Amino acid sequence: MQGRQSFMPDTYVLECREVTRRFGAFVAVDQVSLAIESGSFFSILGPSGCGKTTLLRMLAGFDEPEHGEIYIQGESMRGVPPNHRPVNMVFQHLALFPMMTVADNVAYGLKRRGVARGEIGTKVAQALERVSLPEAGGKRINQLSGGQKQRVAIARALVLEPTVLLLDEPLGALDLKLREHMKVELKQLQKQIGTTFVYITHDQSEALVMSDQIAVMNHGRFEQIGTPQELYFEPATAFVASFVGEANRWRGKVSASEGGNLTVEIAGGVALQAHTTNGIASRNEVEIFVRPEAIGLSREARQDVANQLQCTVQDILFNGANTQVLLREQGTGHTLVAALPGTGDFLTIKRDDTLFANWDRRHTRCFSADAAE
């Protein structure tokens, strides 16, 4: 199982060991294990309904696993209620109190804990300073921008000095531009304060930009745990290859296999060269994945590349940072995408041009068709 990790209690602040949660016959979280290093930004990434929020609720203490154990700082959380766990949570909809000032919102948890009034003022000021809102204490919530509200919610959680901060899709309600800005802010804030963040999201770009490590979740299980670079460039399963980042996909049958180097016959009798460490043999039905940025384009056929398809340009999509060229393979009619850096080279490419799409076998990820399903 790709999601397994070895456990070293002295180095991990949070651990799950074979955690399972069912709702009737439905298994929401299925024997999940993970270990999170202290001071890291750890994301749990997956589609809606994959079990990530159920897992977060168990970490927070709002729900209990049927089987398995959760440890924080080496202590079992079995039967420990939310208010006695060294964690705090930031919800997607923030749950700020509009009738209170910013300072009162941040102080709310401290008052519930019975912290002395003089100490509350100091702690609130420090928390607002940490999220770059030192002058906002007297404002009402409705006077703040979306990003400022986000930071107030984080300050309210951090003021209680949790060992682990849990964040349940906190950027989901923000508009695109603000969400892009807040991704950078959250990452910088986490590194500045050193608190361990466990972040739930279905947005791959959020996870890739902010995280030190990511667990990709599907149908209640972890498909792979690794760095953003590992998940993107070395996906361990077909689901990770398709869910994390964009990918061109072909289905075919292995016609030759030697030392991990495969020849895959796709529609129209076209042969593609791939590399795999998954033990795929000849005659296996497979699905192969190639990232758009791994595909180069040339006007003439090349003799020095493993894979080459003659294509017609269907469209050119410019988005500033790069340009996507939509292509149709002339032999099979298969559509693929090449991503070109924003260097201006795309300006010479026109719709209906004939080009050769080419890439190296090491950029081709190959999985059995059953695994891809």
Side-chain angles (χ1 to χ4, degrees):
M1 180 179 173
Q2 295 296 334
R4 290 187 182 275
Q5 296 171 291
S6 59
F7 292 98
M8 301 172 61
D10 293 337
T11 62
Y12 294 120
V13 67
L14 188 152
E15 301 174 34
C16 292
R17 300 186 183 180
E18 304 293 334
V19 168
T20 299
R21 181 69 172 96
R22 295 182 178 88
F23 296 95
F26 175 67
V27 184
V29 176
D30 190 4
Q31 300 183 55
V32 160
S33 295
L34 63 82
I36 300 175
E37 292 186 359
S38 179
S40 65
F41 197 124
F42 190 98
S43 290
I44 300 173
L45 171 67
S48 298
C50 72
K52 57 188 185 294
T53 296
T54 299
L55 177 58
L56 196 74
R57 287 178 55 82
M58 289 190 285
L59 299 179
F62 300 130
D63 199 358
E64 285 280 353
E66 293 178 34
H67 303 288
E69 294 292 334
I70 295 170
Y71 296 89
I72 299 178
Q73 293 182 308
E75 298 290 329
S76 173
M77 293 293 105
R78 176 70 64 178
V80 179
N83 60 321
H84 289 145
R85 297 191 180 199
V87 304
N88 211 335
M89 192 162 178
V90 177
F91 297 93
Q92 179 175 358
H93 298 293
L94 305 184
L96 297 172
F97 302 114
M99 73 293 295
M100 295 182 182
T101 65
V102 167
D104 286 338
N105 267 276
V106 177
Y108 182 78
L110 296 172
K111 293 177 181 177
R112 295 278 309 258
R113 286 189 177 180
V115 176
R117 182 175 298 180
E119 189 177 353
I120 287 176
T122 301
K123 287 182 176 293
V124 168
Q126 290 173 342
L128 290 175
E129 181 73 36
R130 291 168 93 179
V131 298
S132 302
L133 291 174
E135 308 298 328
K139 293 184 177 180
R140 298 282 180 178
I141 296 301
N142 61 9
Q143 295 178 285
L144 304 180
S145 67
Q148 289 172 326
K149 292 175 184 177
Q150 188 72 57
R151 282 184 274 167
V152 171
I154 293 170
R156 186 176 62 179
L158 291 175
V159 78
L160 297 175
E161 300 179 352
T163 300
V164 179
L165 183 63
L166 307 174
L167 302 102
D168 187 9
E169 306 211 40
L171 306 186
L174 303 180
D175 63 60
L176 178 60
K177 188 170 184 178
L178 182 54
R179 193 159 64 243
E180 292 297 313
H181 176 70
M182 286 302 298
K183 285 192 294 189
V184 177
E185 280 208 1
L186 265 182
K187 176 68 172 178
Q188 292 176 337
L189 176 63
Q190 189 274 327
K191 290 304 177 189
Q192 172 191 333
I193 63 179
T195 300
T196 304
F197 279 23
V198 179
Y199 190 94
I200 297 293
T201 183
H202 67 274
D203 187 322
Q204 54 175 286
S205 67
E206 290 181 10
L208 290 172
V209 167
M210 295 189 291
S211 309
D212 299 310
Q213 288 234 305
I214 304 169
V216 180
M217 197 169 192
N218 184 34
H219 296 306
R221 292 194 169 204
F222 288 155
E223 298 254 343
Q224 186 177 357
I225 299 174
T227 66
Q229 293 83 359
E230 288 168 343
L231 297 181
Y232 192 83
F233 293 112
E234 299 290 339
T237 70
F239 178 81
V240 176
S242 61
F243 190 76
V244 179
E246 301 297 324
N248 296 292
R249 304 172 67 164
W250 291 268
R251 185 173 286 253
K253 180 179 286 187
V254 177
S255 60
S257 174
E258 182 178 356
N261 293 325
L262 308 178
T263 300
V264 180
E265 300 285 346
I266 63 171
V270 176
L272 297 180
Q273 304 299 313
H275 182 77
T276 183
T277 57
N278 295 327
I280 296 172
S282 295
R283 297 185 299 280
N284 283 173
E285 296 281 346
V286 296
E287 190 156 8
I288 58 180
F289 298 79
V290 180
R291 300 292 187 196
E293 61 271 21
I295 295 178
L297 299 177
S298 61
R299 296 279 181 184
E300 304 294 334
R302 294 174 54 182
Q303 304 302 316
D304 59 340
V305 292
N307 294 294
Q308 187 159 246
L309 297 174
Q310 190 169 8
C311 303
T312 301
V313 176
Q314 299 293 294
D315 212 341
I316 302 165
L317 308 177
F318 174 69
N319 69 2
N322 58 48
T323 297
Q324 289 191 330
V325 182
L326 280 69
L327 305 155
R328 184 175 297 277
E329 203 272 311
Q330 291 183 356
T332 66
H334 188 96
T335 300
L336 63 152
V337 178
L340 305 180
T343 60
D345 294 344
F346 69 92
L347 292 174
T348 63
I349 298 173
K350 301 290 186 284
R351 191 176 297 178
D352 297 325
D353 279 358
T354 294
L355 299 175
F356 291 88
N358 43 70
W359 67 94
D360 192 89
R361 73 165 72 240
R362 63 193 172 89
H363 294 137
T364 310
R365 294 288 168 261
C366 189
F367 303 94
S368 71
D370 289 341
E373 292 293 345

